[in-house]
């Protein structure tokens, strides 16, 4: 059974850091690209960061470049992907989702999301 689960969200203050985790299991996620998205109610979805199956290709949105770092660990068929978020500000407040797919442009499997709230 496929599971994509995000964790690590919370309430922090401006300037704080958080590390989000995404664990994808139940199929060969170790060969999938994993992307992080964020979305607030009534707003469009923004792709924040992405990493290819072996870490050879990495993407960051301009809005997070220099502040967020994506990394991953593959173990058997499971992928664990981390998003280290530094220098958080209120504009980073959103629900963060991870998505997996065969390439960096495929978003076939989604988690339920984890809420990040940054207070000013």
């Amino acid at each position: 059974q496929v599971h994509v689960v995000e964790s690590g969200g919370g309430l922090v203050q401006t300037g704080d850091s958080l590390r989000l985790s995404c664990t994808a299991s139940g199929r060969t996620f170790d060969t999938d690209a994993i992307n992080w998205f964020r979305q607030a109610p009534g707003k469009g979805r923004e792709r924040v960061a992405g990493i290819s199956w072996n870490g050879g290709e990495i993407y960051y949105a301009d809005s997070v470049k220099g502040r967020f770092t994506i990394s991953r660990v593959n173990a058997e068929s499971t992928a664990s992907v981390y998003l280290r978020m530094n220098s958080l500000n209120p504009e980073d407040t959103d629900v963060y989702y991870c998505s997996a797919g065969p390439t960096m442009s495929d978003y076939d499997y989604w988690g339920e999301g984890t809420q990040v709230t940054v207070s000013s």
Side-chain angles (χ1 to χ4, degrees), residues 19 25 30 52 78 101 103 110:
R19 190 180 82 151
S25 61
D30 57 324
S52 60
T78 297
T103 74
W110 291 84

Side-chain angles (χ1 to χ4, degrees), residues 37-48:
F37 290 83
R38 63 186 181 186
Q39 186 170 23
K43 289 174 56 180
R45 184 177 64 190
E46 179 187 16
R47 182 184 176 212
V48 172

Side-chain angles (χ1 to χ4, degrees), residues 7-119:
S7 62
L11 172 63
V12 297
Q13 295 184 332
T14 296
D16 285 351
S17 298
L18 278 176
R19 190 180 82 151
L20 304 184
S21 298
C22 170
T23 301
S25 61
R27 59 180 290 282
T28 53
F29 283 114
D30 57 324
T31 59
D32 274 5
I34 305 286
N35 285 278
W36 282 98
F37 290 83
R38 63 186 181 186
Q39 186 170 23
K43 289 174 56 180
R45 184 177 64 190
E46 179 187 16
R47 182 184 176 212
V48 172
I51 187 167
S52 60
W53 72 276
N54 63 352
E57 182 180 357
I58 288 179
Y59 165 84
Y60 295 107
D62 288 343
S63 57
V64 307
K65 205 170 290 183
R67 300 189 297 122
F68 289 12
T69 303
I70 191 170
S71 61
R72 70 183 292 162
V73 174
N74 294 330
E76 298 184 350
S77 60
T78 297
S80 297
V81 177
Y82 308 98
L83 188 66
R84 176 70 178 181
M85 308 187 296
N86 296 329
S87 303
L88 287 164
N89 59 67
E91 287 70 40
D92 296 315
T93 295
D94 269 317
V95 179
Y96 285 70
Y97 302 87
C98 70
S99 179
T103 74
M104 293 279 278
S105 301
D106 296 309
Y107 319 124
D108 298 339
Y109 300 92
W110 291 84
E112 296 294 319
T114 184
Q115 174 72 49
V116 172
T117 303
V118 185
S119 65

